[in-house]
Amino acid sequence: REELKEEDIRTEILKKPLLMPFPSDFLFAPTHPNEPFYYFERLRLVNKEVIFFERLAFPAADVPDFHKQKLENRSLFGVFRSRYNIIVKGGEEKVWATAAQAPLTDIMRVAEHTPVLRLEKCIETNRPHFTIYSSLYACTDTYLLKGRF
C-alpha cells in the first residue's frame, strides 16, 4: 500500500455547511440534540480516486460564521484550531466493514456491494460542549489511511 503525502490529497465539499438539527442516522448521539448543528459533507480524493466520503456534524454555538470558512483542500481540525481555538483531544470510534449500496456507490464511484470501511466517530475537544461527530465511508484497498486525533 502506498502511503499518502499531504500534497497528493484533495478535498471536495459536496454539501456546504448548513445549520440543521442533529442527523438521526449517526451512531453517536449528542448530549444536547435540540441545539443547532452545522452539517456538511466532503470527499477526500487521491489522483481523482475517492478514498473516503465523510458526513460531519458539530454544535454551531462555538463556531460563529463557520459556513463562511474555506474548507476545500484544508484540514478541518486546522480550521478549528486557527480560527476558533478549538483543539481535538481524542475520542471514540466504531469501525466495521460493509457492502456499498446506492447512493453511496454513486458518491464514492464504486460498484454495488464493493467492500467499504465504515467509521463512526465522536471526537472530543478542549471545549466540554463542543464534540465533532463524523460518519465516514472509506475505500482502503489502494492507500493506507492514517491519522491522529
Side-chain angles (χ1 to χ4, degrees):
R1 292 202 173 135
E2 216 176 298
E3 191 165 328
L4 301 179
K5 296 177 185 142
E6 191 173 333
E7 61 269 13
D8 297 331
I9 302 169
R10 202 172 97 236
T11 304
E12 285 181 14
I13 305 304
L14 298 181
K15 283 190 182 176
K16 294 184 183 221
L18 297 171
L19 285 173
M20 61 180 281
F22 189 79
S24 61
D25 60 338
F26 278 41
L27 292 186
F28 289 101
T31 53
H32 303 287
N34 296 326
E35 294 178 6
F37 281 78
Y38 271 114
Y39 171 86
F40 75 99
E41 297 178 358
R42 65 183 181 166
L43 280 182
R44 281 283 175 99
L45 303 100
V46 174
N47 300 322
K48 299 182 181 177
E49 180 182 342
V50 175
I51 303 303
F52 71 72
F53 165 63
E54 185 175 29
R55 301 164 51 231
L56 294 128
F58 43 86
D62 285 332
V63 288
D65 296 327
F66 181 80
H67 62 283
K68 296 179 181 177
Q69 298 301 311
K70 181 186 177 319
L71 300 172
E72 297 268 337
N73 299 316
R74 291 188 68 196
S75 161
L76 177 63
F77 295 168
V79 170
F80 284 140
R81 187 174 47 256
S82 64
R83 175 74 171 91
Y84 302 102
N85 200 28
I86 294 173
I87 314 268
V88 168
K89 294 291 191 183
E92 182 181 349
E93 66 184 358
K94 298 175 182 180
V95 181
W96 68 99
T98 187
Q101 303 290 325
L104 185 63
T105 53
D106 294 331
I107 294 167
M108 294 190 71
R109 305 172 200 155
V110 296
E112 192 168 6
H113 305 297
T114 297
V116 293
L117 195 60
R118 182 168 176 189
L119 296 90
E120 292 282 328
K121 298 188 241 181
C122 176
I123 303 166
E124 298 162 355
T125 70
N126 60 328
R127 297 195 187 169
H129 302 293
F130 189 84
T131 302
I132 304 160
Y133 300 90
S134 166
S135 179
L136 184 147
Y137 291 88
C139 288
T140 59
D141 56 337
T142 306
Y143 297 100
L144 171 68
L145 298 180
K146 73 176 190 173
R148 295 175 57 145
F149 76 94

